[in-house]
Amino acid sequence: MSSFNSKQSISQLAETETGSNSLESTKTFVFQDEGHTLGNALRCVIASNPNVQFCGYTVPHPSEAKMHFRIQMQKGRAIDALKKGLEDLVKMCDHTLSVFDEEMLSFKTEHKLNT
């Protein structure tokens, strides 16, 4: 998975599909070298946004290393929903890793295992 930080622009991670609707509220983004792992996690995060009317992804074919991610908004811009979704997903992953590391250290200390 490509790493994302809030200082990166979305255009560095994904391009807008050619011929995509010119409305800012509806976009299809194409992520290179990504698949179901990012697609499903990002879909779950973005779908929780109350302004998102639809979001979904497809991996056109297993031999193509790309994922199409579509967002339709009731209010707002699709690009903003994508950026917030990526930022929220990074925060969730960071939190998961932090809790895991704390629990692993606690377990090793409790069972007197070498660290």
Side-chain angles (χ1 to χ4, degrees):
M1 180 172 120
S2 304
S3 63
F4 175 77
N5 66 58
S6 58
K7 292 184 181 16
Q8 277 182 299
S9 73
I10 296 298
S11 63
Q12 292 175 301
L13 297 174
E15 58 193 43
T16 309
E17 187 176 62
T18 307
S20 182
N21 189 334
S22 63
L23 293 174
E24 292 294 313
S25 63
T26 301
K27 293 282 182 199
T28 300
F29 304 94
V30 180
F31 289 82
Q32 298 296 326
D33 299 320
E34 295 295 349
H36 295 287
T37 304
L38 176 64
N40 196 38
L42 191 57
R43 181 192 57 80
C44 288
V45 171
I46 292 176
S48 68
N49 180 332
N51 293 321
V52 172
Q53 184 176 26
F54 171 83
C55 90
Y57 75 96
T58 60
V59 176
H61 192 274
S63 68
E64 292 183 74
K66 64 182 175 179
M67 172 192 60
H68 294 229
F69 198 91
R70 183 164 182 84
I71 303 172
Q72 290 175 216
M73 303 291 291
Q74 292 174 356
K75 284 194 306 194
R77 298 182 332 153
I79 190 97
D80 295 334
L82 178 61
K83 186 170 183 176
K84 181 166 178 7
L86 287 166
E87 290 168 349
D88 290 350
L89 185 57
V90 167
K91 288 176 189 172
M92 289 171 62
C93 291
D94 288 345
H95 175 73
T96 301
L97 288 172
S98 174
V99 170
F100 178 83
D101 289 342
E102 289 171 13
E103 292 300 320
M104 181 61 85
L105 182 60
S106 174
F107 178 84
K108 287 181 176 181
T109 302
E110 183 180 321
H111 291 86
K112 297 181 172 89
L113 299 174
N114 293 336
T115 53

